[in-house]
Amino acid sequence: MMEFMKKAMDWILEKEQEAAKNCHASPEDVDKQIAMIEEKKADLEKKYTEEIKEFEHILNRLHTIKAASLKCHVKN
């Protein structure tokens, strides 16, 4: 599905580029599209960063748990 979406987006962008070359694309419309994509990108980057922090937290806890369990197994 993702590959289909990429191909569809590439096709749309090719058509937009052709329209721009033929003076049929409004710079204002392109600016709106740019702003929309930049906003979505910023949202994804924020979400990605937050999720990475959560994974780091979980990994740190798991390493602490593993260290504690290793101490028990070394004593036996």
Side-chain angles (χ1 to χ4, degrees), residues 10-57:
D10 283 342
W11 182 83
I12 291 168
L13 291 172
E14 284 177 24
K15 296 300 176 189
E16 288 276 339
Q17 191 168 12
E18 288 175 21
K21 286 179 183 177
N22 294 320
C23 300
H24 296 297
S26 161
E28 293 82 13
D29 288 342
V30 177
D31 280 339
K32 288 177 188 176
Q33 292 172 347
I34 290 169
M36 180 183 69
I37 296 300
E38 286 177 342
E39 182 180 341
K40 287 183 184 261
K41 180 182 177 230
D43 290 345
L44 281 173
E45 286 176 337
K46 180 181 177 190
K47 184 178 177 182
Y48 171 80
T49 300
E50 290 170 357
E51 289 184 10
I52 289 294
K53 286 179 184 177
E54 183 61 27
F55 276 110
E56 288 296 327
H57 171 74

